């Protein structure tokens, strides 16, 4: 009986050690992936500021979706490239710098989603998106850019938007 109890105790210790080791490895992988995603997003924004069309669009998956601040801006990668190319060709597209960013991972660590506050020419904007792991790199599959509006100024902004967006709403209802 003592031998069985000793074996059971050793098995428990081994199991606990394995669980702790695997937890540390997963935490390190998430931390490494998080650092890679931060670098990927920072470089992506930098590529736009430097008008590096290839570097900017290489970060997007082939089936990526980009949603801009205008209600009509919902592009697949090809359409977004067509929209953005003239800006990049002029030598400067846009310059966004992250002020704050949060990154989250799926349980299998093959997908991540994020939200970020950005310093832009439109003042503070919010970006959010989904990345997928492709081999050893992360690619943006979906990105949404939104302008922030102080709650106290919502009525003023709605008055400005109303003539344009009321027409768009009527068109979309048909």
């Amino acid at each position: 009986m003592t031998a069985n109890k000793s074996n059971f105790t050793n098995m428990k210790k081994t199991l606990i050690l394995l669980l702790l080791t695997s937890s540390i490895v997963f935490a390190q992988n998430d931390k490494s992936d998080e650092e890679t995603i931060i670098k990927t997003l920072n470089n992506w924004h930098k590529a736009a500021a430097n008008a590096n069309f290839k570097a900017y669009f290489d970060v997007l998956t082939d089936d990526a979706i980009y949603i801009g601040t205008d209600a009509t801006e919902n592009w697949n990668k090809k359409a977004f490239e067509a929209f953005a190319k003239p800006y990049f060709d002029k030598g400067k597209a846009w310059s966004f710098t992250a002020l704050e960013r949060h990154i989250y991972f799926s349980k299998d660590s093959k997908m991540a989603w994020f939200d970020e506050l950005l310093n832009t020419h439109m003042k503070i904007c919010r970006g959010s998106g989904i990345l997928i792991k492709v081999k050893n790199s992360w690619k943006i599959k979906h990105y949404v850019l939104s302008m922030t509006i102080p709650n106290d100024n919502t009525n003023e902004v709605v008055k400005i938007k109303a003539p344009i967006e009321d027409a768009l709403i009527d068109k979309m209802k048909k």
Side-chain angles (χ1 to χ4, degrees), residues 33 105-112 131-134 137-138:
D33 282 336
F105 292 91
S106 62
K107 287 183 183 179
D108 64 4
S109 295
K110 293 180 182 178
M111 182 176 64
L131 300 103
I132 58 169
K133 197 164 197 177
V134 179
S137 65
W138 287 91

Side-chain angles (χ1 to χ4, degrees), residues 21-75:
T21 304
S22 64
S23 295
I24 291 168
V25 169
F26 286 130
Q28 287 173 341
N29 286 346
D30 279 354
K31 191 67 176 164
S32 173
D33 282 336
E34 183 174 345
E35 290 168 4
T36 301
I37 288 171
I38 290 168
K39 186 175 179 180
T40 297
L41 293 171
N42 287 343
N43 287 339
W44 185 57
H45 291 310
K46 188 176 179 181
N50 294 333
N52 187 336
F53 186 87
K54 181 174 175 9
Y56 186 82
F57 284 96
D58 280 353
V59 175
L60 301 178
T61 62
D62 290 340
D63 61 347
I65 300 296
Y66 186 99
I67 299 174
T69 57
D70 189 286
T72 64
E73 296 176 337
N74 187 329
W75 296 299

